[in-house]
Amino acid sequence: MGVILVAFLYASFAFILVGSDHATYYTEEGQNLGELNHEGIIQRANDAGYDVQGPFYVNVKAKSATGTYLTDMPYIEERLGDDFLLNHATYYEDEETVMEIMFLDDDMATVMFFNHIRPDPYFSPFEVEHLPQDDWIIERLMAAFGSDRQQAEHDLEELKNAIDSGKQPKMDISRNILPDAIYKDLESMSTDSEFSLTHGEGNTMLSFYAHDLLTGRMSFVVPNQRIVHEKEGVAYTIKMDQLGGVELEIMLSAGEHVPEEKYIDVFREMFKNIGLPEEDIDKFRFQYSPSVW
């Protein structure tokens, strides 16, 4: 009976694998098409009968996305709009010594430290001496979490004790996160900053520089939506984020192909129907994968 059950489970698993397998044409990298009438495009996609999915934060719905939702940051909203997540912030004491804050929720974060100058940085033990200077860490913790100096010193001491015990150089902090204070802290350390362009999934990085030296980064995500057109058993998808990033994908049965001229014509028609410039199709370069396994 046990052998039969195991055989059944293996057969079921194999059936699931085969059933979910597919071939894919995908763009080498998305493109940013500049300022787009996002709402108008979505409306035209609905009018054309396309399946509009989302919004997604990269590849998940809002309830499953990690990060902190921001409020009262008008200088960020001017660039990103009023719907975005902050995923993480990174401070650079220097080119090799890094403090990263991963935002899991509005009141929970993980702070990690990296030092790439130590021997074999990915496998050798991290020692207390590899941390940034004490005062530098304390100032960052006070800014990011609104800690007083005593609390920040206590957090640092616990971190050092954990490292001495052979644990990873990280700490989990469950306190209110102050994204605005992090921004102002990074800004005070810098002479310039710039956003990276999105390319369909909505990822954008705000990088801070002090006379061309990188001092920190803030990683944001804006929502994207997928416009899907099913034709002759093939799914053509336009992934578009709210900052003009666009990525294209084709999904079909494993091992099957679509002639380039044909899929370019389909996307060109989709662009025309939803109000994107048809000539921008020529900016995309596709790769092919015959299977996901």
Side-chain angles (χ1 to χ4, degrees), residues 65-275:
T66 58
T68 179
Y69 290 92
L70 308 179
T71 57
D72 194 28
M73 296 186 73
Y75 27 83
I76 303 296
E77 292 173 14
E78 287 177 7
R79 170 71 180 183
L80 305 186
D82 58 3
D83 186 5
F84 54 91
L85 282 171
L86 172 62
N87 279 150
H88 63 266
T90 306
Y91 285 95
Y92 294 84
E93 185 191 39
D94 53 45
E95 290 183 297
E96 305 294 343
T97 313
V98 181
M99 169 180 166
E100 184 168 273
I101 308 173
M102 299 293 297
F103 304 104
L104 307 178
D105 209 331
D106 290 339
D107 57 1
M108 184 176 294
T110 296
V111 182
M112 297 192 67
F113 293 87
F114 305 90
N115 188 319
H116 302 296
I117 203 169
R118 73 185 200 275
D120 198 1
Y122 295 103
F123 297 102
S124 62
F126 192 104
E127 308 289 349
V128 168
E129 65 193 52
H130 298 137
L131 289 170
Q133 296 296 312
D134 285 4
D135 283 345
W136 188 91
I137 296 175
I138 289 168
E139 289 175 7
R140 305 291 78 77
L141 293 176
M142 291 171 66
F145 301 99
S147 307
D148 58 28
R149 189 171 187 87
Q150 183 178 3
Q151 178 65 61
E153 289 175 345
H154 174 75
D155 290 338
L156 177 57
E157 190 62 32
E158 287 197 339
L159 172 68
K160 289 182 176 181
N161 291 336
I163 293 172
D164 284 336
S165 300
K167 297 180 181 178
Q168 290 184 318
K170 73 173 187 176
M171 51 184 166
D172 296 324
I173 296 181
S174 297
R175 290 197 291 275
N176 287 335
I177 297 164
L178 304 174
D180 181 64
I182 294 172
Y183 173 87
K184 290 178 179 177
D185 190 33
L186 284 166
E187 187 181 44
S188 70
M189 301 162 59
S190 309
T191 57
D192 194 17
S193 64
E194 63 177 1
F195 276 99
S196 63
L197 294 175
T198 58
H199 293 95
E201 291 193 334
N203 295 303
T204 182
M205 192 82 71
L206 176 58
S207 298
F208 295 82
Y209 299 92
H211 306 294
D212 297 328
L213 294 176
L214 184 65
T215 56
R217 286 180 169 139
M218 298 181 77
S219 176
F220 300 94
V221 178
V222 299
N224 70 73
Q225 289 178 292
R226 299 171 190 174
I227 300 168
V228 183
H229 176 38
E230 295 268 358
K231 186 172 183 178
E232 299 175 0
V234 179
Y236 299 85
T237 299
I238 299 171
K239 184 185 293 185
M240 180 182 66
D241 64 54
Q242 294 189 11
L243 298 179
V246 175
E247 192 172 11
L248 308 178
E249 183 182 70
I250 305 162
M251 189 179 298
L252 62 167
S253 299
E256 290 192 357
H257 292 79
V258 177
E260 180 179 9
E261 182 179 346
K262 183 174 182 178
Y263 67 69
I264 292 297
D265 284 345
V266 172
F267 278 125
R268 200 179 302 278
E269 180 184 18
M270 290 180 70
F271 270 41
K272 178 181 179 180
N273 289 341
I274 66 177

